[in-house]
């Protein structure tokens, strides 16, 4: 009912001023990755954009620019999750999926990453925009609330941007697969990816990461699709990996060629025909990141 009332009072015209993700944010043209062969719709917000997959009712990818020189510390008090009136409600994953269970609305674009601007009003609008269901993905509560390392990676990059007053672009999204359980009509992604892009010594650089909340399934390649269930799907402890961006492109179908070419994970230059997943580096802390440079350089 709250979603219905919200959509009666907020219309697509209210979003006319949203500019979305700035593809020239880094001073070099870095577009939001596209997804060929899948019906999608691009939704611009304040400082970020969401490419929605109509078939999955979830985002294929989100893109946000983080301006370390104008980040603000705003709280989330009083902000409610809402549907986006620019997209039919049946093409979004709304409150029904998150009711009476341990499934969280997991932000894809982190709230703190989007909250910046030249004015407080700009930062406040970005803060509110991150609370659209289009920017959420269903995640086990322990996965979302206790994901210190996954959040820590972006925090590490965000703090670097703030400390050195620099800019970073982050693309995030689900990795859909045949193993994903279907809960209340929505696929629950078992894996998520993050790709960070930034300027290093005058050139574009990027790094990629994958989080897996079902290691017991990931280790069993012959497990069949769990199928449709009204019960909350069993989701195990998470593992976080640094992964070649090439692998992320292969798993998601997203066009990441530009960032594959500037991947700063050392093994990325010698992948050859290596099997997807065979060179992933499991992380225990942000300090375990495997880069061929120092972020402070």
């Amino acid at each position: 009912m709250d979603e219905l009332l919200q959509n009666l009072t907020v219309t697509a015209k209210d979003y006319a001023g949203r500019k979305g993700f700035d593809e020239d944010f880094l001073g070099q043209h870095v577009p939001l990755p596209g997804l060929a062969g899948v019906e999608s719709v691009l939704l611009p917000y304040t400082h970020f954009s969401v490419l929605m997959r109509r078939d999955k009712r979830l985002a294929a990818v989100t893109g946000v620019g983080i301006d370390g020189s104008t980040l603000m510390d705003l709280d989330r008090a009083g902000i409610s999750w809402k549907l986006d009136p620019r997209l039919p409600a049946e093409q979004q994953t709304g409150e029904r999926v998150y009711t009476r269970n341990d499934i969280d609305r997991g932000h894809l674009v982190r709230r703190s990453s989007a909250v910046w601007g030249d004015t407080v009003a700009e930062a406040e609008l970005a803060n509110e925009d991150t609370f659209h269901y289009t920017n959420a993905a269903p995640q086990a509560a322990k996965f979302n609330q206790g994901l210190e390392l996954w959040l820590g990676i972006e925090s590490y990059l965000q703090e670097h941007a703030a400390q050195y007053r620099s800019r970073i672009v982050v693309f995030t999204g689900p990795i859909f697969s045949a193993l994903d359980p279907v809960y209340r009509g929505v696929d629950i992604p078992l894996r998520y990816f993050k790709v960070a892009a930034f300027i290093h010594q005058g050139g574009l650089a990027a790094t990629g990461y994958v989080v897996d909340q079902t290691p017991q399934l990931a280790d069993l390649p012959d497990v069949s699709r769990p199928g449709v269930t009204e019960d909350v799907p069993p989701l195990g402890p998470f593992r976080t990996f640094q992964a070649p961006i090439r692998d992320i492109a292969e798993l998601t179908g997203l066009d990441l060629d530009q960032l594959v070419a500037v991947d700063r994970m050392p093994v990325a230059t010698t992948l050859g025909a290596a099997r997807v997943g065979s060179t992933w580096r499991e992380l225990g802390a942000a300090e375990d990141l495997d880069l061929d440079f120092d972020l402070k350089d």
Side-chain angles (χ1 to χ4, degrees), residues 104-120:
D104 270 6
R105 311 167 196 85
H107 275 83
L108 293 173
V109 171
R110 286 186 70 195
R111 187 182 68 84
S112 60
S113 296
V115 179
W116 55 266
D118 294 326
T119 65
V120 173

Side-chain angles (χ1 to χ4, degrees), residues 95-259:
E95 187 60 25
R96 178 177 179 272
V97 175
Y98 305 101
T99 300
R100 297 186 301 277
N101 55 36
D102 289 329
I103 298 293
D104 270 6
R105 311 167 196 85
H107 275 83
L108 293 173
V109 171
R110 286 186 70 195
R111 187 182 68 84
S112 60
S113 296
V115 179
W116 55 266
D118 294 326
T119 65
V120 173
E122 179 183 354
E124 286 178 339
L125 185 58
N127 195 16
E128 294 175 7
D129 276 0
T130 64
F131 284 89
H132 282 83
Y133 284 111
T134 50
N135 184 43
Q139 299 173 347
K142 291 181 180 178
F143 173 93
N144 184 33
Q145 296 170 6
L147 203 55
E148 295 179 3
L149 180 55
W150 182 241
L151 298 179
I153 290 172
E154 191 163 336
S155 295
Y156 180 70
L157 297 169
Q158 182 176 312
E159 288 165 7
H160 168 80
Q163 181 178 356
Y164 295 97
R165 303 181 67 81
S166 59
R167 292 186 165 199
I168 293 176
V169 161
V170 178
F171 299 121
T172 306
I175 298 176
F176 296 106
S177 81
L179 292 176
D180 296 339
V182 181
Y183 176 64
R184 296 181 179 176
V186 176
D187 288 16
I188 306 297
L190 303 181
R191 293 175 174 175
Y192 292 84
F193 74 88
K194 192 184 301 292
V195 174
F198 43 92
I199 301 300
H200 174 66
Q201 294 184 348
L204 185 64
T207 53
Y209 313 93
V210 171
V211 68
D212 182 355
Q213 61 179 332
T214 57
Q216 72 278 20
L217 291 181
D219 291 338
L220 299 173
D222 296 326
V223 172
S224 60
R225 184 183 180 88
V228 179
T229 177
E230 281 301 310
D231 296 324
V232 180
L235 300 173
F238 64 86
R239 295 184 299 183
T240 302
F241 300 88
Q242 184 172 356
I245 300 172
R246 183 209 68 172
D247 287 10
I248 295 172
E250 181 76 18
L251 291 169
T252 62
L254 291 166
D255 180 4
L256 293 166
D257 288 352
Q258 179 188 27
L259 302 182

Side-chain angles (χ1 to χ4, degrees), residues 68-91:
S69 66
T70 62
L71 282 168
M72 297 187 192
D73 183 16
L74 301 180
D75 64 36
R76 57 185 294 171
I79 305 177
S80 301
W81 286 89
K82 51 187 172 290
L83 297 172
D84 190 317
R86 296 172 293 181
L87 194 64
E90 63 271 17
Q91 294 179 13

Side-chain angles (χ1 to χ4, degrees), residues 21-24 28-34 169 171 255-256 258-259:
F21 169 67
D22 180 359
E23 297 187 341
D24 296 309
Q28 295 191 27
H29 190 68
V30 181
L32 187 76
V169 161
F171 299 121
D255 180 4
L256 293 166
Q258 179 188 27
L259 302 182

